[in-house]
Amino acid sequence: MPRTIFISVGEASGDLNGARLVRALRARKEASQQASATNVAGLVLVAPAIDFTEELMWKRFTPEIKREFAEKGVWARPSQYSPEPYLVTRQLIEEGRQHLLLGAMIETGCPVRILQGVQDPDVPWQHAKALVARIACDDVVLTLIKDGDHRLSRPEDIERLLRAVAEF
């Protein structure tokens, strides 16, 4: 069976879904005793916000923000991308806790490429570095883009992304 490439690009939380997809494919393979691999040639993550609701939100919220969650069930987070705030709900935080990955080794079963902007205000580059330490396979490459932001959408960033995909 030919291998396919799974690519997760765009919003950082999409990478959480990519990692969960690979984990689900591996579990399906193990359950069915298939001889074939997960059928994923590689995983490309852009500003991966694995466990973002806990690590990048809840643990960094001030006591005032946590109190607002307790009282209202929602917090209006200011957005640098829109004049409207981003509504963070208690339900998002609670559901996020059901899908945490960083507490154990992450078995992808395939090579992983990570692109991370050092100037990213939403997902610090240290978070990507911590993720690399949790990925079980040896074929993991973290590329830090010194002047890169969260979106990594400049032409040179897109070229880096295409090169990462071309490796597979």
Side-chain angles (χ1 to χ4, degrees):
M1 179 180 281
R3 291 168 57 98
T4 57
I5 298 174
F6 176 78
I7 305 166
S8 180
V9 295
E11 293 299 323
S13 59
D15 294 322
L16 170 62
N17 292 327
R20 289 176 56 209
L21 172 66
V22 170
R23 185 171 67 176
L25 288 171
R26 287 179 55 80
R28 182 185 301 167
K29 174 194 163 234
E30 291 167 6
S32 67
Q33 300 296 324
Q34 293 176 348
S36 66
T38 60
N39 235 21
V40 177
L43 188 59
V44 178
L45 308 175
V46 179
I50 306 297
D51 294 359
F52 75 99
T53 54
E54 194 69 19
E55 298 298 325
L56 302 178
M57 292 179 141
W58 188 255
K59 287 183 178 179
R60 296 174 180 210
F61 287 161
T62 64
E64 293 79 20
I65 294 171
K66 290 180 179 181
R67 190 169 28 259
E68 191 169 336
F69 272 108
E71 294 170 1
K72 300 179 182 176
V74 67
W75 172 59
R77 176 184 177 194
S79 172
Q80 68 180 36
Y81 306 110
S82 168
E84 299 298 319
Y86 176 77
L87 299 179
V88 180
T89 65
R90 181 173 43 231
Q91 180 180 359
L92 174 70
I93 300 297
E94 290 170 357
E95 285 183 12
R97 288 183 176 138
Q98 297 173 25
H99 303 287
L100 298 176
L101 297 173
L102 293 176
M105 293 303 289
I106 300 170
E107 297 280 350
T108 62
C110 64
V112 179
R113 302 296 176 263
I114 300 172
L115 302 176
Q116 176 68 50
V118 174
Q119 303 303 317
D120 185 340
D122 299 312
V123 180
W125 65 268
Q126 294 90 341
H127 189 73
K129 184 179 170 189
L131 172 61
V132 168
R134 305 308 297 161
I135 297 175
C137 75
D138 289 333
D139 192 358
V140 179
V141 177
L142 169 61
T143 301
L144 295 175
I145 297 110
K146 188 172 183 178
D147 62 346
D149 62 6
H150 182 64
R151 294 186 173 187
L152 293 177
S153 58
R154 303 169 301 176
E156 61 266 33
D157 299 326
I158 301 300
E159 184 57 37
R160 280 187 188 95
L161 173 63
L162 293 173
R163 284 195 307 265
V165 170
E167 288 187 41
F168 305 121

